[in-house]
Amino acid sequence: MNRTIRTTCPYCGVGCGVLATVAADGTTEIRGDPEHPANFGRLCSKGAALGETLGHSERLLHPEILGKACDWNTALDAVANGFARTIREHGPDSVAFYVSGQLLTEDYYVANKLMKGFIGSANIDTNSRLCMSSSVAGHQRAFGSDTVPGNYQDLELATLIVLIGSNTAWCHPVIYQRIRAAKEKNPDLKIVVIDPRQTATSEIADLHLPVKPGSDALLFNGLLAYLHDRGDINTHFVDSFTEGMQPALDAAHACARSMAAVAAGCGLREPDVTRFYQWFSVNEKTVSVYSQGINQTSSGTDKVNAIINCHLLTGRIGRPGMGPFSVTGQPNAMGGREVGGLANQLAAHMNFDAGNVDRVRRFWNSSNVAQKPGLKAVDLFRAVGEGRIKALWIMATNPAVSLPDADRVRQALAQCEFVVVSDCVRATDTTAYAQVLLPASAWGEKNGTVTNSERRLSRQRAFLEPAGEARPDWWIVSEVARRLGYAQAFDYHSPADIFREHAALSGFENDGQRDFDLGALATLGDAEYEGFSPIQWPVPRDRPQGTPRMFADGRFFTENRKARFVAVTPRGPANEKDDEYPLALNTGRVRDHWHTLTRTGLSPRLSGHIVEPFAEVHPQDARQYGIHDGMLVTLTTRWGEMLARAHVTETQRPGSVFAPMHWNDQYARRARADALVNPVTDPVSGQPEFKHTPVNVAPYPAAWHAFLLSRRRLDITEASYCARATGQGFWRYELAGETPSWDWPRWARALLCAAPENDTRPEWIDYLDSGAGQYRGARLLGGRLESCLFVARTPELPARDWLASLFSRDTLTREERMHLLAGTLPSQAAAVSGGIVCACFSVGKNSIIDAIREKRLGTAEEVGQCLKAGTNCGSCIPEIKALLRQAQSAA
Ligand code: SF4
């Protein structure tokens, strides 16, 4: 019988509700939960494909020590002994945990309690440091607490939405869908997109401001000065509920002397800046949404405060349809903030003030609570490299890929005395450095809570049995704590036990003094926890229905309960471009992948959208540096280098290069963008400057290019460039190398025949033109296509789509065999080629272009009626609209 479980998506901070239906045959169907207030049934392409990521092929199934499987007791004893010995010999600050926004709140709480409450060090930091710690710091400076004021409904009530440093359409797609729906309902809703790049999000913009990288603080200081000069001040709000306005205005006026000066400083047209300021001035219901483009810079905290200042001046906070709104990257970045997962927070939104330390000490009944903040992520790994941290436990994250200066991080891990990794995936770039590997439960197997960007707590529920010997993270940490001698404090039997304690701590001696209060949930029974419905914190004892908006009463969490303006003096990026590195590298995400590909890389339809690492370059820069669209390029910075496919596009700002952060050694060779990123951090938040590293771009001198499709996963060591993507029934490899001559037929046979699966003699169809450097070969077993390899001196090779489609067939027709080496049937030259646009229905770019041309389609709705593209999750609608625009301008 089918079972349907209500849970939440494990990807981004939108926190969509998901219905997972497990059929009797074990398959799982995923749908959006129509009752969840974050998404009301919507899902994006990533959420919709969750069912494709549940297999066990890549899972870590058993504990391991030094690569050998062992039982849990042996592994847990090894972890406890390793940490105990290090603490005994070198003190508590010689050990650290590096945790993740993928953990559930209960996992996070236990890890934080062990490190800060019992080991006695605050050396626990989370990968959320990389994503939104500047927003945390900005909130704390302005509000005295890390509080997101509003909620998603405000986006539907606003008359102006400003999206700053946020490719919402790709990174928070369901928020984007809600904004798009709001605009369709209310055409007067104005949308301003502030981003150096023209992204899919710009599709719905009434105004796109392609700001010079790093100039956002100047733009918002200019806005503050403009609003003040025009008298757009909510005097009652400012006088009653804020302090520090004049120094903030002085700083704003000092740098934004005129509209022309602001426009020049931001690299914008003056009329566009004026229009933005006028719209902000007249639209009281304004929501300013900001994300990694603001946070991931060396002055991210100041930028956050420059935005908040404008809302404080106009009193646009705490009421429906308005407010500054930081959207978080990860599914439980907020939960991590709540428990104290950041090294500079103690627990439950309390810092390290003596009163808080004493309060937490009494609550946890521990005499060993950490007294001071610990090391933030970048500093923490620097300390590992310098030998100051000697034992490190990494939970559910992949720092060898995702931290800046990632090669240095690898060196640090390689020389660290004791590295433990708990993860659900066996082979990541980070697990390669672990002495002890602990198998953790994955999404679908875990139980607990998460908090989304609008402070809404929801349950993640298990609907699958754990793979192999996998265990929940809270159980793993508690077992180690028990072995360290803290059995009584970690005597948990379920996540509900932990949640009640977490809620009780948040309400302990609170009385409205601290923003984070779940006091009303501290006595939740097990059945109530199981049936828990989404709710927005705070949920204090006297407000059990939760709190949709904060600060409606004008009372903040500073000592005098007033919000603080922050005087901001704009600063540029820490490392400026120069002659050697003349462009600015900006890193980010793509629509259908998540972080380091450990899950989305398993899904054929998600992997079909963008199959390899790329670098977007403006045509002007491409001309200057001899780069053509589709060629391989080398990106080099002072910190590292990578190879990527060049996308020459006018959507990129001249002088800048964009590269995605997802690819790593498991999916590509020499393609880790974060190895290039400078490790400079914001001095207040500790967040790294992922958005600006000086970079050089040059054509990669490949002697040959190739692609290979194979039913069997291969280890291709001969190619200097190798990117792997999952297809439907096959693996796709994009290859290139520098060695000029090669015996291709022999190489193909050696590589592809290495492990024959049955006794059938393979059949080869191949063609070699040594003079032209061309080879095309196909290998069939029993009439079924097993693999094919296409090689040329240039990247111009046949489209992969028709060949890929043959892997779903058991035999090929005579005509198909005849055209195998051409790479396509004459009649189907453009069937689905050009790459997947609609991941839900596998509709390719060229199919859409053909339909637009042949059927004279004029709108995304018409494309949807004709091909179904864009009619499910809607994530591809911006791309469909861009194709429509291209077709219209070509016509
Ligand atoms: S927007 Fe997409 S990735 Fe984010 S939570 Fe919703 S379904 Fe998941």
Side-chain angles (χ1 to χ4, degrees):
M1 206 169 81
N2 291 357
R3 289 180 299 125
T4 296
I5 305 294
R6 193 157 251 137
T7 182
T8 45
C9 173
Y11 292 125
C12 82
V14 181
C16 295
V18 165
L19 296 178
T21 302
V22 185
D25 64 0
T27 55
T28 305
E29 188 205 20
I30 299 293
R31 282 173 296 140
D33 180 353
E35 290 176 27
H36 197 287
N39 56 318
F40 296 109
R42 299 173 177 95
L43 288 179
C44 75
S45 49
K46 291 186 285 288
L50 272 165
E52 291 181 21
T53 66
L54 300 172
H56 293 180
S57 62
E58 307 290 315
R59 292 291 299 276
L60 174 61
L61 298 172
H62 310 283
E64 291 181 19
I65 297 177
L66 299 174
K68 290 215 169 65
C70 64
D71 59 58
W72 267 109
N73 265 332
T74 308
L76 293 166
D77 286 349
V79 176
N81 290 339
F83 273 76
R85 188 180 55 246
T86 311
I87 293 164
R88 203 168 46 243
E89 291 174 6
H90 304 284
D93 285 335
S94 66
V95 302
F97 295 167
Y98 185 59
V99 297
S100 162
Q102 297 291 318
L103 293 177
L104 304 183
T105 298
E106 292 76 1
D107 305 323
Y108 245 136
Y109 177 85
V110 174
N112 188 59
K113 180 179 176 183
L114 174 57
M115 182 55 81
K116 292 191 183 132
F118 289 82
I119 290 176
S121 168
N123 283 343
I124 171 170
D125 207 35
T126 159
N127 61 6
S128 301
R129 176 75 58 197
L130 315 180
C131 129
M132 41 80 265
S133 53
S134 293
S135 282
V136 174
H139 289 158
Q140 288 167 332
R141 291 204 303 194
F143 310 142
S145 59
D146 175 20
T147 317
V148 174
N151 59 36
Y152 298 155
Q153 195 194 28
D154 290 328
L155 299 166
E156 284 141 6
L157 300 173
T159 53
L160 171 66
I161 297 174
V162 189
L163 298 165
I164 316 141
S166 168
N167 184 4
T168 322
W170 281 20
C171 301
H172 297 94
V174 166
I175 288 183
Y176 176 81
Q177 289 177 33
R178 289 182 70 160
I179 294 173
R180 199 182 65 211
K183 181 139 176 91
E184 277 163 14
K185 209 162 153 194
N186 172 20
D188 291 337
L189 167 63
K190 292 268 183 292
I191 296 172
V192 178
V193 171
I194 300 173
D195 194 318
R197 304 163 63 210
Q198 187 185 330
T199 64
T201 306
S202 327
E203 182 59 45
I204 50 166
D206 297 284
L207 177 64
H208 171 220
L209 299 177
V211 279
K212 197 166 93 183
S215 64
D216 316 73
L218 173 60
L219 186 66
F220 280 87
N221 263 4
L223 176 59
L224 191 74
Y226 175 89
L227 295 168
H228 175 252
D229 294 347
R230 280 179 50 93
D232 290 329
I233 305 173
N234 185 330
T235 311
H236 168 70
F237 182 86
V238 170
D239 291 349
S240 309
F241 305 126
T242 74
E243 63 182 5
M245 178 184 73
Q246 197 53 50
L249 284 173
D250 292 345
H253 280 110
C255 65
R257 294 186 183 282
S258 67
M259 194 71 80
V262 172
C266 297
L268 297 170
R269 288 171 1 105
E270 191 178 332
D272 290 343
V273 178
T274 307
R275 184 141 40 123
F276 167 45
Y277 287 3
Q278 284 170 344
W279 285 353
F280 199 102
S281 163
V282 299
N283 283 283
E284 183 174 41
K285 292 197 167 178
T286 295
V287 180
S288 301
V289 178
Y290 52 93
S291 181
Q292 272 74 340
I294 289 295
N295 294 329
Q296 290 181 330
T297 72
S298 59
S299 56
T301 309
D302 279 352
K303 290 176 182 172
V304 168
N305 286 112
I307 295 167
I308 293 174
N309 283 345
C310 297
H311 282 267
L312 294 180
L313 189 78
T314 49
R316 294 175 188 172
I317 191 165
R319 288 180 287 147
M322 61 186 76
F325 198 166
S326 149
V327 286
T328 57
Q330 294 202 74
N332 200 27
M334 290 282 274
R337 285 146 76 165
E338 290 153 17
V339 302
L342 291 164
N344 51 320
Q345 288 288 293
L346 176 54
H349 277 205
M350 285 179 270
N351 60 18
F352 285 88
D353 286 354
N356 288 331
V357 172
D358 180 59
R359 183 176 297 115
V360 173
R361 179 188 64 72
R362 286 183 284 114
F363 184 86
W364 279 342
N365 192 24
S366 168
S367 58
N368 202 26
V369 172
Q371 309 279 317
K372 61 178 191 336
L375 294 170
K376 296 170 184 155
V378 171
D379 292 337
L380 189 152
F381 278 86
R382 196 170 285 134
V384 173
E386 291 168 1
R388 287 181 282 129
I389 286 177
K390 297 172 189 302
L392 175 66
W393 186 350
I394 298 164
M395 301 179 201
T397 183
N398 199 354
V401 181
S402 54
L403 275 168
D405 198 6
D407 287 343
R408 183 66 65 89
V409 170
R410 285 171 186 235
Q411 287 166 17
L413 289 170
Q415 66 197 51
C416 184
E417 288 178 17
F418 189 52
V419 178
V420 178
V421 176
S422 38
D423 207 311
C424 51
V425 177
R426 172 63 186 83
T428 71
D429 290 15
T430 299
T431 57
Y433 295 94
Q435 279 101 324
V436 183
L437 279 176
L438 305 172
S441 305
W443 183 78
E445 303 163 4
K446 306 206 278 193
N447 257 314
T449 51
V450 290
T451 308
N452 73 0
S453 297
E454 56 169 357
R455 290 177 282 106
R456 192 180 298 279
L457 282 79
S458 301
R459 281 292 314 277
Q460 255 189 35
R461 295 183 175 89
F463 53 89
L464 299 171
E465 289 300 315
E469 294 182 64
R471 294 283 182 277
D473 289 281
W474 66 263
W475 180 89
I476 301 172
V477 177
S478 301
E479 284 296 312
V480 171
R482 204 164 61 75
R483 285 165 172 77
L484 287 170
Y486 313 124
Q488 207 180 342
F490 291 84
D491 185 23
Y492 303 116
H493 299 280
S494 69
D497 284 349
I498 302 165
F499 182 81
R500 283 186 285 266
E501 183 179 310
H502 165 57
L505 173 58
S506 72
F508 184 55
E509 299 176 355
N510 191 328
D511 302 321
Q513 297 302 305
R514 308 191 301 271
D515 66 333
F516 184 67
D517 186 345
L518 304 181
L521 303 173
T523 53
L524 220 57
D526 286 354
E528 291 167 298
Y529 180 77
E530 204 38 53
F532 188 91
S533 292
I535 190 168
Q536 287 177 281
W537 66 257
V539 196
R541 285 186 192 285
D542 58 357
R543 210 161 55 242
Q545 72 281 15
T547 313
R549 285 181 194 83
M550 297 292 285
F551 310 135
D553 58 359
R555 283 168 66 78
F556 296 83
F557 293 93
T558 53
E559 269 179 23
N560 61 7
R561 304 305 296 251
K562 290 189 171 193
R564 290 184 290 239
F565 284 86
V566 175
V568 171
T569 301
R571 297 194 312 276
N575 290 291
E576 291 289 358
K577 300 185 281 187
D578 56 27
D579 289 346
E580 204 177 343
Y581 300 100
L583 303 171
L585 174 67
N586 172 11
T587 63
R589 300 174 187 202
V590 301
R591 190 191 77 189
D592 287 355
H593 277 312
W594 178 255
H595 283 195
T596 59
L597 304 175
T598 49
R599 278 181 303 210
T600 52
L602 304 176
S603 161
R605 60 174 153 153
L606 296 181
S607 301
H609 180 228
I610 293 175
V611 296
E612 60 183 333
F614 64 89
E616 284 182 353
V617 184
H618 189 272
Q620 200 174 299
D621 297 321
R623 268 193 302 279
Q624 185 167 353
Y625 299 104
I627 290 161
H628 307 290
D629 192 49
M631 74 172 6
L632 282 175
V633 292
T634 310
L635 306 182
T636 315
T637 72
R638 289 198 168 82
W639 293 268
E641 70 157 45
M642 72 179 283
L643 299 179
R645 186 78 58 193
H647 288 185
V648 177
T649 167
E650 290 192 344
T651 59
Q652 188 59 236
R653 193 185 155 88
S656 298
V657 176
F658 174 84
M661 50 81 79
H662 308 289
W663 275 269
N664 56 76
D665 286 357
Q666 311 306 314
Y667 282 87
R669 190 163 299 138
R670 296 168 66 184
R672 288 175 298 118
D674 289 332
L676 280 67
V677 172
N678 72 88
V680 170
T681 58
D682 178 286
V684 184
S685 69
Q687 180 150 359
E689 186 150 65
F690 287 103
K691 295 299 182 194
H692 192 287
T693 303
V695 66
N696 191 352
V697 184
Y700 174 65
W704 57 268
H705 298 258
F707 73 86
L708 194 161
L709 310 180
S710 166
R711 287 189 192 273
R712 194 160 52 84
R713 188 159 151 185
L714 302 166
D715 186 16
I716 305 171
T717 52
E718 293 84 354
S720 46
Y721 172 77
C722 174
R724 170 172 67 92
T726 311
Q728 199 68 53
F730 67 95
W731 297 96
R732 170 174 170 174
Y733 296 85
E734 296 293 328
L735 308 166
E738 293 171 40
T739 312
S741 58
W742 207 270
D743 184 345
W744 293 110
R746 181 192 289 214
W747 186 69
R749 281 161 176 76
L751 179 71
L752 301 173
C753 298
E757 297 96 44
N758 56 39
D759 296 335
T760 315
R761 257 179 77 82
E763 189 186 343
W764 280 88
I765 304 173
D766 55 359
Y767 152 86
L768 174 69
D769 180 344
S770 305
Q774 279 207 21
Y775 172 75
R776 296 182 178 197
R779 177 175 177 266
L780 293 89
L781 270 182
R784 189 172 90 141
L785 180 62
E786 285 297 308
S787 46
C788 57
L789 170 67
F790 284 65
V791 185
R793 286 207 180 119
T794 67
E796 280 78 43
L797 288 158
R800 286 59 161 164
D801 309 85
W802 178 72
L803 291 164
S805 72
L806 301 181
F807 285 84
S808 59
R809 314 268 301 280
D810 278 339
T811 51
L812 304 186
T813 65
R814 197 176 128 79
E815 191 195 12
E816 285 164 347
R817 289 171 63 105
M818 273 175 58
H819 290 92
L820 260 182
L821 299 191
T824 186
L825 285 179
S827 58
Q828 294 184 12
V832 282
S833 57
I836 294 289
V837 171
C838 172
C840 296
F841 296 110
S842 295
V843 185
K845 182 176 166 186
N846 287 354
S847 302
I848 296 171
I849 292 171
D850 285 351
I852 292 170
R853 196 180 48 231
E854 286 163 17
K855 304 212 161 90
R856 297 176 185 278
L857 307 178
T859 65
E861 290 72 29
E862 288 172 3
V863 171
Q865 283 159 15
C866 179
L867 298 171
K868 290 177 84 175
T871 58
N872 186 34
C873 77
S875 297
C876 60
I877 286 177
E879 282 160 88
I880 294 173
K881 288 191 171 176
L883 293 175
L884 282 162
R885 263 201 319 278
Q886 278 171 23
Q888 278 152 11
S889 60

